[in-house]
Amino acid sequence: MKTRADLFAFFDAHGVDHKTLDHPPVFRVEEGLEIKAALPGGHTKNLFLKDAKGQLWLISALGETTIDLKKLHHVIGSGRLSFGPEAMMLETLGVTPGSVTAFGLINDTDKRVRFVLDKALADSDPVNFHPLKNDATTAVSQAGLRKFLAALGVTPMIVDFGAMEVVA
C-alpha cells in the first residue's frame, strides 16, 4: 500500500500542486471546524460503500452535502448500498475508517472501486482531502484532482445530490 510520501511523490511526478496541513486526527465531518476555517476551498466527506451486487463505491462530497443512501442506488445504477467492510476498505484503498479519501484510489490498482464525485465538490476549488490518514489535510486544485484521477485511469461519475441525478 502506498504511504503519504508515495502519494506526494505521485502528485509531484504528475504536476499536481499540493499543500498539506498537519493536525490532530479528525474522525467526523463535524470535527476540526477550526482546521477547516484555516483552509480555503471545499472540505469533504467520503463514504466507502458496497452494493448488493458486491460492487465497491467511493463517494466524495462536500461535507455539508446530504446523501440519501436509500435512493442513491437508483441514481447510480447500483444494487442497494451499505457501508463497506473495514477489511475491504484497507485492502482496496489502503485506509481505515475516519481516513477515507479520494486519494486512496491510488491504492486501488485492480480498479475494484467505482468513484462518485459530488457536483458541488467538482465545482469547488481547491478541494481538501486527508492524505491517506486523518491527521492531515491536503489541498489540491480542481484541475489537480482531475490530473490525479486521470493519471490513475479513473473517470468519476459526477452526481448532483440536490437533484439526485448523474450529470457527467
Side-chain angles (χ1 to χ4, degrees):
M1 287 293 149
K2 303 255 188 303
T3 65
R4 173 176 154 164
D6 296 328
L7 175 68
F8 293 165
F10 187 89
F11 286 160
D12 294 342
H14 291 89
V16 176
D17 291 332
H18 54 97
K19 183 178 178 186
T20 299
L21 174 67
D22 292 304
H23 53 71
V26 176
F27 293 92
R28 293 186 319 277
V29 172
E30 304 82 32
E31 293 181 276
L33 295 177
E34 69 284 348
I35 296 166
K36 292 174 186 164
L39 297 169
H43 294 273
T44 60
K45 67 177 165 188
N46 299 275
L47 306 176
F48 180 72
L49 305 170
K50 183 178 178 186
D51 73 19
K53 301 173 188 175
Q55 175 63 54
L56 301 175
W57 296 86
L58 174 62
I59 299 175
S60 290
L62 279 179
E64 58 269 18
T65 298
T66 300
I67 301 172
D68 186 341
L69 292 181
K70 292 180 180 172
K71 294 180 181 173
L72 184 59
H73 69 282
H74 296 296
V75 175
I76 63 175
S78 71
R80 292 188 68 85
L81 295 160
S82 60
F83 289 98
E86 182 177 346
M88 202 165 281
M89 178 189 304
L90 189 57
E91 178 184 319
T92 57
L93 298 178
V95 297
T96 57
S99 296
V100 178
T101 172
F103 296 153
L105 292 167
I106 195 170
N107 287 313
D108 185 27
T109 55
D110 294 333
K111 305 284 188 261
R112 294 174 54 195
V113 180
R114 300 226 16 223
F115 183 50
V116 175
L117 182 62
D118 175 16
K119 180 184 181 318
L121 185 59
D123 292 341
S124 297
D125 196 26
V127 291
N128 297 281
F129 293 95
H130 292 308
L132 306 177
K133 293 200 181 212
N134 64 353
D135 60 355
T137 299
T138 297
V140 297
S141 67
Q142 188 60 233
L145 176 63
R146 299 308 174 103
K147 275 186 198 177
F148 169 73
L149 295 172
L152 296 175
V154 173
T155 302
M157 177 188 301
I158 301 177
V159 172
D160 180 334
F161 285 100
M164 286 303 278
E165 65 182 13
V166 174
V167 295

